[in-house]
Amino acid sequence: MLRRETSLTLGAVAIVGLGVLMGAITLNDRARVHSVHARYDTVATNLLARDIYSLLLAVRYGGISTARDQTVMLRQYERTLEGLGDLDVSALSPDLVRFHRHIEQDVRRLEPTLTDPEWTSSSTEIFERLNHIAADMLQFASMFGDEANDAIAETEARLENSLIAMGVLICFFVAFCLLLTRRILVQNRKLEDAVRTDFLTGIRNRYALQHDLEMTVGKQDCAAVLLDLDGFKSVNDRLGHNAGDTLLRVVADRMQLCCAPGETAYRIGGDEFAVIIEGKEARLRGMRYCERFLSAIANPVRVGRTKLRVTASLGVSELAADSRDSVDQLMGRADKALYRAKGCGKACYRVDGEDERLTQRDVMEAIDAIDAPHPHPQTAKAVA
């Protein structure tokens, strides 16, 4: 049987585990977004386009007229070629990769002209070729940027969808855990009620009595009333166990009808019952309960076609909230009071502390008198 703390702990562990899983998936998607940003380096593409335009402008306005101009052009050319080689095109579409190779080939075709010792070609020819390369590079940069934005937007949309899906999954799982926890608690409550209920009479049993007393003793005043039917064994012998069971159920019903708020009836076993009274004036209330029950049990009990007249003996004991006595001592004193009632002729009750000390002889006489013939209920007198 799962307790409340156990079920809640399992639910919390499950939610934490799901949260960790969601965090891992989110981090993985974020890593994908960063990876896409890193692969689509639009800044490097723009810088490469700027280098090509710098080379174009240098040829257009500076020309190549001296060896020094040729050296400057070669350095600018090598930097441009290096930038084209360093550009990561692995994530690009096949068309854009082919476009990049076309631009790189056009740039490499400039090398013979720029490295020609005679450099007889005019700067106008180089400018025209560079102008064509620059136009292609501008178009490539634009296409590169559009493709990068699409890839980043797609990855971010995937991340957003993952977050939404995980959020829905978490809500569903939390709701499932709450429903499961509620069902476990309800089942546990039903199981606890079944364990603490007497299967024959439907009232609480010995296990519930022990539990309730442990929860009450030391917190508030309480009184215990022990009840034993007089001559119950003879009913079983004469009429059978089914009649005895019917009688026990009727007695349990009448016990509950006699209970006031703060009073609970229990079946200990066989024909032994108990009533626990909680709160102020518990002893006096216990005595009043005995009087009510003796009056209620005096009415005949119909079992089949037979009317049975049943009596009972009761014993009352009290335990104050500040007392150091245990539950066993409380029940022991109530049991002794019950034996005194048996020894006084049955069909009455005794209160612990109001009679003389119970001796071993009194106990033996009470035991011998349990199944002896008893007086008619109307002649029984309650002794307090």
Side-chain angles (χ1 to χ4, degrees), residues 255-305:
M255 286 184 65
Q256 286 188 302
L257 290 175
C258 294
C259 288
E263 302 173 359
T264 308
Y266 304 83
R267 183 191 176 202
I268 300 177
D271 62 329
E272 297 180 3
F273 296 84
V275 176
I276 299 302
I277 300 171
E278 304 174 0
K280 298 180 179 180
E281 299 181 349
R283 184 177 184 178
L284 178 59
R285 290 163 57 199
M287 296 164 61
R288 291 174 179 172
Y289 178 84
C290 293
E291 295 171 357
R292 292 196 303 269
F293 179 76
L294 287 173
S295 176
I297 203 66
N299 296 321
V301 178
R302 180 177 292 276
V303 179
R305 296 181 179 181

Side-chain angles (χ1 to χ4, degrees), residues 361-375:
R361 180 179 178 182
D362 296 329
V363 174
M364 296 303 296
E365 290 178 353
I367 293 176
D368 294 337
I370 288 178
D371 294 322
H374 50 275

Side-chain angles (χ1 to χ4, degrees), residues 247 250-251 254 294-303 305-311 376-378:
L247 176 60
V250 172
V251 170
R254 294 185 182 182
L294 287 173
S295 176
I297 203 66
N299 296 321
V301 178
R302 180 177 292 276
V303 179
R305 296 181 179 181
T306 305
K307 284 186 178 182
L308 298 178
R309 293 189 178 275
V310 185
T311 61
H376 191 276
Q378 294 179 354

